[in-house]
Amino acid sequence: MIALRTASLCKSFRVKRKMPGLSGSIRSLFRPEWEERTAVSDINLTVHAGETVAFLGPNGAGKSTTIKMLTGILHPTSGNAEVLGFTPWRDRTKLAYRIGTVFGQKSQLWYHLPPMDTFDLISRIYELKQSDYKARRKDLIERFELEPYLHTPVRKLSLGERMRCEIAASFLHRPQLLFLDEPTIGLDVLVKQRIRELIRELNRKEGTTVFLTSHDAGDVEELCTRAVVIHHGGILLDAKVEQLKRDILNRKTITLTLKPDSPSAIQARIAGTEIVSNEGRRMKLSVDLSQTDIDLVLSALVGKFRLEDVTVEDPPLEEIIKHIYGMRTGGAGPESGLEASRQAGAGAGGRRL
Amino acid sequence: MSMEAEESRISGKRVWIMLRFLFTIWKVNLASSLEYRISFLLMAGMMFINNLMWLFFWSLFFHRFPVINGWELNDIMMLWAVSAGGFGWANMLFGNFHRIPSLAATGQLDVYLTQPKPVLLHLLASRMSLTAIGDFAFGLAIYGWAGDHTIQGALLFTLGLVISGCIFMFLMIAAGSLAFFFGNAEGIVQQVFNSFVSLSTYPADIFRGAARVFLFTIVPAGYISYLPIGLLRDQNPGFIAGAAAVTIGMGVFSTIVFHVGLRRYASGNAIVMRG
């Protein structure tokens, strides 16, 4: 069954162009200049029920605009979309009963009130039968471990606690399709992890289709089965996450802080790793996961060096996109081939250990 | 059950569902306002006193000139009761009616658009103004002091309150919806709002010529003194029907302007919290 389908979906905005400075402002007052800016261009996409799709791209790529069209917030400039059988901008109300939305930067919780009050309001908005609502609320409170925060005003919750309440609120009416726009933005590693687990669990147990935009490669790896990468408003890549992991997300960055009496990097070699930078006792390594495993590298590091601190990170999404872009343009340009792949893993520079 | 009866049962159920939703959102609004009890009492109380001061100055004026174009102090008091009371209930129950430009500019309509309730009704009811409670209480107090306490008088005063609140709301919705067409309209709509509020407390009959045309067109505050106060003074069924028809017309017009404008809504990326 198809959860959503788009055909040549486009959205452009009319944006005022202004020269810098006061003179520019005055000129724009009398002779305003407008330009048409394309936010989304020719998006063709089909998502099946039960899929978990990551919709990725750098800032300004058109991720949020696409989600806003798919949820009925924005009208497209041209093209079509069908979400659960409805045209979002025409059948907004009917569709809203069946979808859930979580916008990382826009809260549906009332700021001065405890989450419980918003939950009650949501039960009226979605016209839930009170016995069903109470049972569902109890279940979500247990799963999301919300009991300690339920009666605390939202303004006094941490970002992570608030986000868990936001996601629980969006699940109250059992949506068939959940749109998440940057749900892990600004959260620490542990909270991100917990939120990913919760979404994954609801997808598995209730078959909820998940359509998620993110800036974080971790969201894709741990939560989604399919990734769609957009850039400059158009689709750059549509692939299984497994394939993405094998071909593109095949690097991790390890940052080490060595103890003063530790041997230096030059004295040691670990297969499948490169030194990206080496400043004093601080060293950054890029690990090629197609050649080695991260646990092997970590054990080797522990054996060779005396460590004060260590962190393992995914490459930033911008670098991954540069890499995909490099692959798509046939290796031409500065981000071509192996160079781009290495950059995707660890940024500029580096030498093999 | 006949088709008509079934349809009427369904539409009755829809109305009940909508009312239950409104009661819940008002309850949530009130609870949110009561989070800051001192602020709540101070703001409501100060607005009551502020309105009272204006009436005090009018009383000094009418002491010197007892009748102006047929208006006496009692008429002015009822004008203030209807104007402040109408503004009060509209701003208490639908407190976002003059904030459409800022809500649209900062992308705050997203949350209403993703939930299955009428966007305009939902956004209007999502805010309760604290000072408006003082306005509403003031309107009732002045009616208690200077109004007609017969059943007919009370009904006409209630109708006057309903009409003046609706006029405030509908005109500001139409003006605020210009933001969808002209971009940043917050400044101009705020000016219209301020002019409208202050001019609605003057009797339209004291203005002549261009000023009177202005009061019934560009900033149509004249309707506040003309329609609700006309009701109280004339008590004529034809006038009542006309006043109700004009108000409903304004409601239909503003709702259409809002929904046509909503198609042009561009959202935004500002960080937004509710309540």
Side-chain angles (χ1 to χ4, degrees):
Chain A
M1 189 190 149
I2 289 172
L4 75 85
R5 178 163 37 199
T6 68
S8 306
L9 197 65
C10 299
K11 178 73 185 175
S12 50
F13 294 100
R14 199 164 164 249
V15 183
K16 202 172 181 181
R17 236 175 115 232
K18 188 188 90 65
M19 301 304 282
L22 181 63
S23 60
S25 299
I26 293 169
R27 197 179 312 154
S28 152
L29 191 64
F30 295 102
R31 284 185 60 192
E33 287 177 32
W34 299 89
E35 67 179 8
E36 203 73 4
R37 194 166 291 168
T38 304
V40 170
S41 153
D42 198 28
I43 298 274
N44 293 291
L45 193 65
T46 301
V47 175
H48 293 274
E51 269 193 289
T52 44
V53 178
F55 201 56
L56 306 168
N59 284 330
K63 310 184 294 286
S64 299
T65 306
T66 306
I67 276 209
K68 284 174 185 173
M69 286 191 281
L70 295 176
T71 50
I73 293 172
L74 295 178
H75 287 242
T77 310
S78 63
N80 264 312
E82 205 178 88
V83 180
L84 301 172
F86 298 103
T87 304
W89 47 94
R90 272 191 228 119
D91 310 310
R92 189 192 63 78
T93 309
K94 285 181 199 157
L95 176 65
Y97 284 107
R98 293 164 174 82
I99 60 168
T101 49
V102 178
F103 292 103
Q105 295 185 315
K106 283 178 188 161
S107 178
Q108 60 175 326
L109 301 172
W110 287 60
Y111 189 59
H112 295 297
L113 294 177
M116 192 65 131
D117 287 359
T118 304
F119 291 172
D120 289 348
L121 178 61
I122 285 174
S123 78
R124 294 295 184 204
I125 290 174
Y126 288 92
E127 298 163 25
L128 306 178
K129 204 172 149 196
Q130 287 305 289
S131 52
D132 290 349
Y133 157 62
K134 283 177 184 157
R136 176 69 166 169
R137 187 181 68 189
K138 186 168 173 279
D139 176 43
L140 288 171
I141 288 169
E142 279 167 16
R143 280 202 223 175
F144 283 68
E145 295 161 15
L146 302 179
E147 192 59 51
Y149 328 120
L150 275 183
H151 302 287
T152 308
V154 170
R155 66 175 185 275
K156 293 189 175 158
L157 300 182
S158 72
L159 186 59
E161 290 161 355
R162 179 170 76 73
M163 216 55 214
R164 270 152 66 180
C165 294
E166 291 279 357
I167 296 173
S170 70
F171 268 107
L172 275 173
H173 63 290
R174 298 175 192 274
Q176 291 166 253
L177 171 57
L178 182 66
F179 290 100
L180 299 129
D181 191 7
E182 306 273 9
T184 55
I185 196 166
L187 301 177
D188 68 43
V189 181
L190 289 175
V191 178
K192 272 184 190 176
Q193 191 62 34
R194 183 78 190 111
I195 283 180
R196 286 168 190 156
E197 280 167 16
L198 289 167
I199 298 170
R200 204 168 41 216
E201 186 190 323
L202 285 163
N203 163 261
R204 205 174 49 242
K205 288 194 175 159
E206 299 180 6
T208 315
T209 311
V210 175
F211 192 85
L212 164 146
T213 75
S214 183
H215 226 76
D216 189 331
D219 286 345
V220 189
E221 280 189 83
E222 293 174 34
L223 188 54
C224 299
T225 51
R226 178 180 161 198
V228 178
V229 180
I230 65 164
H231 194 41
H232 296 314
I235 292 180
L236 190 63
L237 179 91
D238 185 346
K240 294 270 176 214
V241 168
E242 279 305 313
Q243 184 195 337
L244 203 69
K245 272 187 193 170
R246 205 170 48 240
D247 300 342
I248 296 157
L249 296 172
N250 54 4
R251 282 184 176 266
K252 296 261 183 204
T253 304
I254 300 180
T255 308
L256 306 170
T257 307
L258 305 179
K259 284 192 169 166
D261 56 347
S262 170
S264 74
I266 308 301
Q267 296 165 313
R269 280 175 184 278
I270 300 170
T273 63
E274 290 174 50
I275 294 182
V276 176
S277 65
N278 187 3
E279 293 162 11
R281 291 189 293 126
R282 215 175 143 77
M283 187 168 34
K284 196 175 267 192
L285 308 179
S286 171
V287 181
D288 185 345
L289 298 175
S290 61
Q291 290 187 34
T292 184
D293 288 330
I294 199 84
D295 55 342
L296 291 177
V297 176
L298 285 171
S299 358
L301 286 168
V302 171
K304 286 176 189 288
F305 303 110
R306 286 176 50 75
L307 302 175
E308 198 169 276
D309 189 26
V310 59
T311 57
V312 181
E313 293 165 301
D314 289 307
L317 198 62
E318 281 74 6
E319 296 297 341
I320 295 168
I321 286 167
K322 267 189 196 172
H323 174 51
I324 298 168
Y325 202 69
M327 283 164 57
R328 284 293 156 111
T329 50
E335 278 94 31
S336 65
L338 190 63
E339 174 67 10
S341 172
R342 190 187 49 70
Q343 284 190 11
R351 64 179 179 277
R352 192 158 293 279
L353 279 164
Chain B
M1 197 186 284
S2 73
M3 191 86 98
E4 287 84 13
E6 178 64 12
E7 278 173 13
S8 131
R9 193 186 66 80
I10 291 170
S11 62
K13 197 177 167 201
R14 297 299 314 163
V15 170
W16 170 240
I17 287 171
M18 199 57 78
L19 283 176
R20 216 168 40 184
F21 157 68
L22 281 176
F23 284 133
T24 313
I25 204 164
W26 288 332
K27 207 170 69 181
V28 169
N29 269 326
L30 187 62
S32 182
S33 304
L34 292 175
E35 273 291 298
Y36 299 96
R37 275 164 298 175
I38 301 293
S39 165
F40 170 80
L41 292 171
L42 276 178
M43 286 173 83
M46 290 308 287
M47 190 44 71
F48 191 99
I49 293 167
N50 177 55
N51 290 342
L52 211 55
M53 291 305 290
W54 276 101
L55 266 194
F56 173 69
F57 284 111
W58 274 110
S59 74
L60 292 179
F61 179 84
F62 275 99
H63 185 68
R64 183 85 175 79
F65 309 101
V67 182
I68 308 284
N69 274 354
W71 283 71
E72 299 172 17
L73 177 60
N74 195 66
D75 295 324
I76 287 290
M77 287 175 77
M78 288 316 294
L79 172 60
W80 271 81
V82 165
S83 178
F87 177 81
W89 76 256
N91 221 352
M92 266 163 63
L93 302 182
F94 302 102
N96 265 335
F97 71 83
H98 52 92
R99 298 180 68 236
I100 290 173
S102 62
L103 295 176
T106 50
Q108 290 185 60
L109 302 187
D110 290 11
V111 68
Y112 308 115
L113 282 160
T114 53
Q115 293 181 342
K117 282 286 166 282
V119 182
L120 182 58
L121 185 68
H122 192 172
L123 89 90
L124 291 178
S126 290
R127 177 177 174 265
M128 178 175 281
S129 160
L130 297 180
T131 55
I133 296 170
D135 281 317
F136 185 65
F138 173 82
L140 295 184
I142 297 301
Y143 170 74
W145 181 10
D148 173 2
H149 296 151
T150 61
I151 292 177
Q152 189 187 5
L155 287 176
L156 284 171
F157 177 70
T158 308
L159 190 58
L161 282 183
V162 171
I163 289 179
S164 77
C166 286
I167 293 174
F168 270 117
M169 218 164 26
F170 296 152
L171 288 172
M172 291 315 300
I173 291 168
S177 300
L178 295 179
F180 293 121
F181 301 93
F182 303 124
N184 186 2
E186 283 175 75
I188 184 73
V189 171
Q190 192 57 42
Q191 284 302 321
V192 170
F193 179 66
N194 292 340
S195 317
F196 191 79
V197 170
S198 11
L199 288 170
S200 67
T201 55
Y202 291 91
D205 292 350
I206 66 171
F207 297 99
R208 288 279 173 266
R212 193 173 168 79
V213 171
F214 179 77
L215 271 184
F216 283 93
T217 52
I218 297 171
V219 182
Y223 286 104
I224 297 282
S225 59
Y226 183 72
L227 293 182
I229 293 298
L231 281 181
L232 300 182
R233 296 171 98 190
D234 285 4
Q235 306 192 354
N236 169 351
F239 191 90
I240 294 174
V246 169
T247 312
I248 291 167
M250 284 180 177
V252 171
F253 174 74
S254 61
T255 308
I256 291 172
V257 173
F258 175 83
H259 280 99
V260 171
L262 193 60
R263 292 176 59 88
R264 304 167 64 106
Y265 173 59
S267 188
N269 57 8
I271 294 172
V272 174
M273 298 297 297
R274 281 191 88 174

